[in-house]
Amino acid sequence: MQIEMITTHPYNDQNPGTSGLRKKVKVFQQPGYLENFVQSIFDSLEGFAGKSLVLGGDGRYFNRAAIQIIIKIAAANGFGELIIGQGGLLSTPAASHIIRKYHTFGGLVLSASHNPGGPEEDFGIKYNVGNGGPAPEKDTAAFYQRSQTINVYKTIAMDDIDLDNIGTQQIGDLKITIIDPVSDYAELMQSIFDFPLLKQSISSGYITLLFDAMHAITGPYATRILVEMLGAPAESVINAVPLEDFGGHHPDPNLAHAHELAHVMFSDHAPTFGAASDGDGDRNMITGRHIFVTPSDSLAIMAANARLIPAYAQGLSGVARSMPTSQAVDRVAASYNIPCFETPTGWKFFGNLLDAGKITLCGEESFGTGSNHVREKDGLWAVLFWLNLIAKRRQPVADIVHEHWQKFGRDIYCRHDYEAVETPIANAIVGHLRSQLPILPDQAFGEYTVKYADEFCYEDSVDGSISRNQGIRVGFTNGSRIVFRLSGTGTVGATLRIYIERFEPDVSRQDQDAQLALAELIELAEQFCEVKKRTGRDAPNVIT
Ligand code: VG1
Ligand code: CO
């Protein structure tokens, strides 16, 4: 294999965000753009000569072309083996599992997750380390730093690889193994959950279900597991064929974007259980007949019931949630007397806690839950967890949720997103919020008195690393909170996220609509950040 050294020029915008580098496809198609970033990653890592690398993505537009480019760069940089999902496909949790199962050096996952796909839309790439999880901040910072000075990348001249046939090909010193993207993952799921019980609950008609794959990566996974292995009727999985543009939709599982599912779940012929996943298969939306389960509640309910699932029958060593996620899971941890950690947004912060055995379960308000079975959040895993719970408790979703609230109280919660705000305006909003932090404590606003106002700073209890500026928090004496932060996954302008929660212990007042129950805090949030005033908008783009 003849290695070619290609001269290149740095791009100044290759700083990975919450979950890898995400840009418009057109940005990635600039000469040397993808090549630079991949070479910057390899330049920042050590010790991979002759080792294997996992490669796969969510199938969005540019996925195949990017894989061919990366194969050549990885070969030129001295990897010994590439393990690639057939068709270039791998869900994020499956990639994480394959890295762990085959003890590879790491993996590259091509996805912009819940962002739309297509020639005019988004693409993304992230590097996962040997534990299967997203590269920690010290690595992503090194990739960025290298990308600022890079002037050459290595590649080899060779034909494109056939990605569609399972098997091994040897090209010079490089072995290329094309694997079935689903089977290892399906086997893992079978080892965690009670498949015979699930099969029986589905075949007896006790559980009827609808899963919306949103034309994204989970289609093949859900079809294999829910239909072929667990016996659900084929029509239980909708939008099952992955498309390069996700059918023109946002593959984002929430009530706004998974509207087909939402419509059925709130209709007269709703099944007992409904769920959806996102572009790369790591998110989940859980619904039952006429009920939507807020992700923060879902995490808490899973933690409270984990012992009912075979893999967690021994109990949980601890739990963790991202800072903006509601405090519902904290109450479960307190009552079970297990530790609860609060981390910054993004899965990379859970890795150390999972590796150290300090936590078993973790999650985020953004439709992400996971456990120590992989080092990513995992959409279908969460779906199977809920199905197993319903089958074991023999209760509908609504009853499980209401009983949980009765026992622990309800943390009424919502998130408002203002998308594509002009960056200078977004920065001014953050500046304005920061300027109020010293004066807010002890101020009273109606029934809400500010207890603390700060910027979240995280110290990792395993490696001592510190992550600053992870969101602005205003906490009140009654436990309510408002959190503000800018998204790190968008590709147009800035997205302001406002997270609002209030605790409601009174059972007779728990069944309220979240927007109404939180109205006063929503008003206060606007008073603090002035997003409507400063952008001239009258409502958020998305409410979850
Ligand atoms: C968002 C979510 C965050 C999640 C991240 C990646 O990040 O808020 O909780 O970990 O997306 O999810 P941000 O910075 O836009 O708020 V995924 O499924 O898009 O890879
Ligand atoms: Co995702």
Side-chain angles (χ1 to χ4, degrees), residues 29-99:
Q29 286 171 328
Q30 296 172 89
Y33 193 90
L34 174 66
E35 292 85 344
N36 276 11
F37 190 65
V38 173
Q39 185 66 54
S40 298
I41 293 174
F42 295 159
D43 283 349
S44 313
L45 301 171
E46 275 171 17
F48 55 76
K51 303 238 169 96
S52 25
L53 182 76
V54 172
L55 189 53
D58 65 9
R60 68 179 59 224
Y61 183 83
F62 197 51
N63 191 58
R64 278 178 178 265
I67 286 184
Q68 298 292 355
I69 292 172
I70 296 169
I71 290 173
K72 291 162 195 160
I73 300 178
N77 278 272
F79 277 95
E81 183 187 19
L82 299 176
I83 300 178
I84 307 174
Q86 186 181 23
L89 299 179
L90 278 179
S91 77
T92 286
S96 181
H97 174 54
I98 288 163
I99 293 170

Side-chain angles (χ1 to χ4, degrees), residues 18-19 22 112-115 126 278 280 282-283 322 345-347 364-366 377 415 485-490 497 499:
T18 312
S19 179
R22 289 187 195 177
S113 188
H114 57 288
N115 299 16
K126 63 178 168 173
D278 70 334
D280 61 331
D282 56 2
R283 296 187 179 204
S322 68
T345 294
W347 215 260
E364 299 189 275
E365 51 63 43
S366 53
K377 54 188 184 278
R415 179 176 114 184
R485 59 177 284 281
L486 294 182
S487 156
T489 57
R497 303 201 197 283
Y499 312 79

